[in-house]
Amino acid sequence: MSQPRQSRALVIVNTNFCSSDGDVVFGTRRGAKREAEKLSNILSRLNYKVKLMHNKTAKEIEDLYQQECCCEHGEYFVSVISSHGKEGVIFGCDSEPVKLTWIFQILSSEKCLVLTKIPKIFFIQACRGAEFDQGVVVECDSGEPEPDCEPDCFSDYLSIPPQTVVMFACSPGYVAFLNVSGSMFLQALLKVLEGEERHLALNRLMTRINWEVAFCCQARGTYEGCKEMPCFVTNLLQEVFPFSA
């Protein structure tokens, strides 16, 4: 009796950044490498065949996803991207941008037949802007309400291909925090995957990560008290249990 194919995971972590002329454009992302290695180890224990890649250029990142179209896949495809970024974009180690829409489209059913029916799950640890989230008061006995802010516009990449799920470390326009111990977002993902929550359906698991970051994490030091709010978008039509190994 043949063994079922292993699900695949691609983890990309960029920590050092230089431009084409050798200038340092972005700061070094201390703590990101060790965090990515921990995630890779956990995914391996959950029966994923993991490819961990360090410091890849924008072109190399696109090529890595193109290569997935030629691989044999199991029930799921999971990808973790940890890098500098801005709204709709992550940066290669050459400081060149990679549009997230392009990554998602590479693996869409139109361009990647082997992944047509396989859920594709992305976790994106990167800034989506330069704003700092000061948090909100959960309970208040008195006080005047704050004026309503202008609503966020939907990003173009919210029109994700079928069978795709994307979870972001922060809300549109905001920074994502990282220190030598790791990021709020991926540390919460690690905690969930190491605990019994990993058996939850994916949408409930991601909601649990939202709760963990929102209520148990806040910045220290220069940005003391600042918060972070992950969010996710999905167009799956059924519940899936990608980490219940």
Side-chain angles (χ1 to χ4, degrees):
M1 184 176 179
S2 61
Q3 293 292 322
R5 293 174 181 171
Q6 270 187 294
S7 293
R8 293 179 59 84
L10 174 59
V11 180
I12 300 172
V13 54
N14 286 340
T15 54
N16 301 305
F17 299 80
C18 288
S19 63
S20 57
D21 55 9
D23 293 335
V24 176
V25 180
F26 300 114
T28 300
R29 302 180 65 247
R30 295 181 301 163
K33 179 180 178 181
R34 182 172 59 179
E35 184 175 68
E37 290 170 347
K38 288 182 179 179
L39 270 170
S40 298
N41 290 334
I42 288 176
L43 288 168
S44 294
R45 295 203 301 268
L46 295 176
N47 203 33
Y48 279 82
K49 186 174 183 179
V50 182
K51 181 187 287 186
L52 172 60
M53 307 303 293
H54 294 280
N55 291 321
K56 295 300 175 183
T57 66
K59 178 62 166 58
E60 288 171 336
I61 290 172
E62 293 181 7
D63 289 344
L64 284 169
Y65 286 100
Q66 293 282 7
Q67 291 166 19
E68 290 298 323
C69 298
C70 303
C71 296
E72 291 188 346
H73 288 267
E75 289 186 80
Y76 305 101
F77 172 75
V78 171
S79 188
V80 180
I81 303 174
S82 179
S83 187
H84 283 300
K86 62 181 182 180
E87 182 65 4
V89 164
I90 57 98
F91 289 99
C93 68
D94 55 352
S95 303
E96 292 298 319
V98 182
K99 286 189 176 181
L100 290 172
T101 44
W102 177 239
I103 292 175
F104 304 150
Q105 288 299 326
I106 289 174
L107 303 180
S108 68
S109 57
E110 295 179 354
K111 298 186 177 181
C112 182
L113 294 178
V114 297
L115 284 167
T116 298
K117 296 182 180 180
I118 295 174
K120 294 160 281 290
I121 305 159
F122 293 87
F123 296 96
I124 312 292
Q125 167 59 38
C127 291
R128 302 176 70 186
E131 295 295 319
F132 289 92
D133 189 342
Q134 302 297 330
V136 296
V137 177
V138 178
E139 290 185 20
C140 184
D141 291 332
S142 63
E144 295 297 322
E146 294 291 328
D148 291 336
C149 297
E150 293 184 9
D152 286 325
C153 295
F154 283 107
S155 300
D156 57 353
Y157 58 85
L158 290 184
S159 300
I160 57 176
Q163 291 291 87
T164 302
V165 181
V166 186
M167 187 169 195
F168 300 95
C170 55
S171 301
Y174 287 89
V175 301
F177 289 101
L178 172 76
N179 60 35
V180 293
S181 299
S183 64
M184 295 181 184
F185 175 55
L186 294 185
Q187 289 298 309
L189 174 59
L190 279 165
K191 183 177 180 180
V192 167
L193 294 184
E194 289 175 329
E196 291 303 308
E197 296 96 335
R198 71 179 184 276
H199 299 298
L200 294 172
L202 182 61
N203 62 324
R204 293 187 62 197
L205 181 145
M206 292 189 295
T207 302
R208 189 67 59 91
I209 293 172
N210 280 358
W211 184 93
E212 181 73 26
V213 175
F215 286 97
C216 301
C217 301
Q218 69 178 33
R220 298 285 188 266
T222 304
Y223 306 108
E224 179 75 32
C226 286
K227 304 288 286 184
E228 188 174 295
M229 188 65 247
C231 55
F232 59 88
V233 58
T234 174
N235 61 13
L236 294 180
L237 301 178
Q238 71 284 338
E239 288 190 325
V240 296
F241 301 82
F243 307 113
S244 185

